[in-house]
Amino acid sequence: MRGVSETSGPLRGRRAVVLGGTGSVGEHFVRAYLTAGADVVVPSRTAARAAELREDPAVAGLGDGLRLVVGDYVSFAGARATAEAITAEHGQVDHVVATLGSWWSGAPLWGVDDDTWQRYFVDVAAAYAAAARAWVPLLRPEGSLQLVLGASGVVPVPGASVISMAQSSLVMMRRVLAEEVGSSRRVFSIVLGNLNLRRRGWARPDFVDADDATRLSIGLASGSRPSAEFVLRRPDQAREALAAIGEDRSATGLGQAPAGDLR
Ligand SMILES: NC(=O)c1ccc[n+]([C@@H]2O[C@H](COP(=O)([O-])OP(=O)(O)OC[C@H]3O[C@@H](n4cnc5c(N)ncnc54)[C@H](OP(=O)(O)O)[C@@H]3O)[C@@H](O)[C@H]2O)c1
């Protein structure tokens, strides 16, 4: 990986792992962490998706700080082996961002078939849990685990029960983890509504810009705020969250969701 002296930015000399970094949301986090000066490792289950990210001109132009690792990082055993291998090869990791799984809707709960339940509830919830189990013990104390989640976890979405239920379980997983680690680690969730994503070419004024979510993530990583949950369902909530961590002077108010506020 590139040397400390070759980079600049608030995360210069830091190491980050972006789980799901090959995805539509994840690639925004990969670019943000590279731009912030971090060395970034992205595991992927398939060589094809890894190659797609590596060859993406928007990523390739950001220097040589990106490493891709192909293999299972989503089972409990695979996540642990991947985390240990990355740590052994590159040194202790500072920040882990997880943005895993994709959207599904199409039937009420009673119409969801077994495969859909397995794929969108069990597999996705287990992948996040595997990430937490593997990485929390290995992170630097001043580092962070950041779960990027969907707002369907805090607002019920009819026809997307499996997604809403999986995301909701992960909102709670983060809260439990925060209690379990106490002040020894920092564990965040960034809960996102509809996003303007580069790969989709969207720029809707009512959607949250994915780059605002990454700014929040970088601000949390480079700062010292304790564990917290941020809900960014609308652009104004994104501005408020950035203002709360001092990343956007034009905004006012607090974007951090009070515990128990599930709206
Ligand atoms: N898209 C949105 O507008 C939006 C809005 C708000 C929140 N979110 C949240 O952001 C996260 C990622 O969404 P996305 O749109 O970036 O999805 P995506 O494009 O499908 O990317 C998800 C990535 O997760 C990895 N992954 C690991 N285990 C997976 C599994 N069991 N099923 C599917 N993918 C798995 C895949 O990487 P490999 O195949 O390389 O291993 C994939 O590249 C989700 O949690 C979603 O709730 C998305």
Side-chain angles (χ1 to χ4, degrees):
M1 303 187 101
R2 63 190 171 189
V4 167
S5 60
E6 300 168 49
T7 64
S8 60
L11 296 180
R12 176 175 181 261
R14 301 292 178 198
R15 295 183 188 90
V17 171
V18 182
L19 305 169
T22 59
S24 306
V25 176
E27 69 90 12
H28 282 261
F29 285 84
V30 171
R31 286 187 290 111
Y33 275 78
L34 287 171
T35 303
D39 287 332
V40 178
V41 182
V42 176
S44 175
R45 296 165 299 171
T46 65
R49 289 198 70 127
E52 193 184 340
L53 180 68
R54 189 189 305 109
E55 288 156 20
D56 185 329
V59 174
L62 294 175
D64 63 352
L66 175 64
R67 291 292 177 272
L68 289 137
V69 178
V70 176
D72 167 26
Y73 64 95
V74 294
S75 69
F76 286 167
R80 184 151 292 146
T82 299
E84 288 173 356
I86 290 171
T87 304
E89 184 174 352
H90 301 294
Q92 200 168 13
V93 168
D94 299 280
H95 306 289
V96 173
V97 176
T99 172
L100 303 166
S102 45
W103 180 255
W104 177 91
S105 71
L109 182 59
W110 58 89
V112 173
D113 65 32
D114 292 8
D115 285 348
T116 302
W117 173 258
Q118 179 69 36
R119 184 170 168 193
Y120 293 96
F121 185 94
V122 178
D123 290 353
V124 173
Y128 275 94
R133 285 160 53 99
W135 282 105
V136 165
L138 296 179
L139 287 178
R140 278 190 208 281
E142 66 276 16
S144 67
L145 171 66
Q146 303 189 16
L147 309 182
V148 178
L149 302 174
S152 63
V154 294
V155 177
V157 181
S161 56
V162 282
I163 301 287
S164 271
M165 293 161 69
Q167 297 296 307
S168 180
S169 76
L170 295 166
V171 167
M172 182 54 72
M173 183 184 84
R174 201 284 317 166
R175 292 181 188 173
V176 173
L177 269 178
E179 298 289 329
E180 289 177 343
V181 299
S183 58
S184 73
R185 298 284 189 287
R186 302 188 303 140
V187 187
F188 299 101
S189 55
I190 301 176
V191 183
L192 301 170
N194 288 323
L195 292 175
N196 287 321
L197 295 166
R198 181 182 67 98
R199 284 185 186 166
R200 302 207 187 135
W202 291 342
R204 287 183 50 157
D206 53 332
F207 283 12
V208 172
D209 276 338
D211 290 334
D212 278 346
T214 67
R215 270 192 278 279
L216 177 63
S217 174
I218 299 293
L220 294 171
S222 57
S224 57
R225 291 179 71 91
S227 298
E229 175 181 313
F230 292 85
V231 179
L232 280 55
R233 290 178 57 207
R234 302 184 310 268
D236 61 302
Q237 290 175 318
R239 288 192 294 275
E240 288 167 1
L242 290 168
I245 65 162
E247 289 292 314
D248 181 354
R249 287 186 295 275
S250 66
T252 57
L254 293 175
Q256 184 173 337
D261 180 358
L262 294 183
R263 285 170 300 137

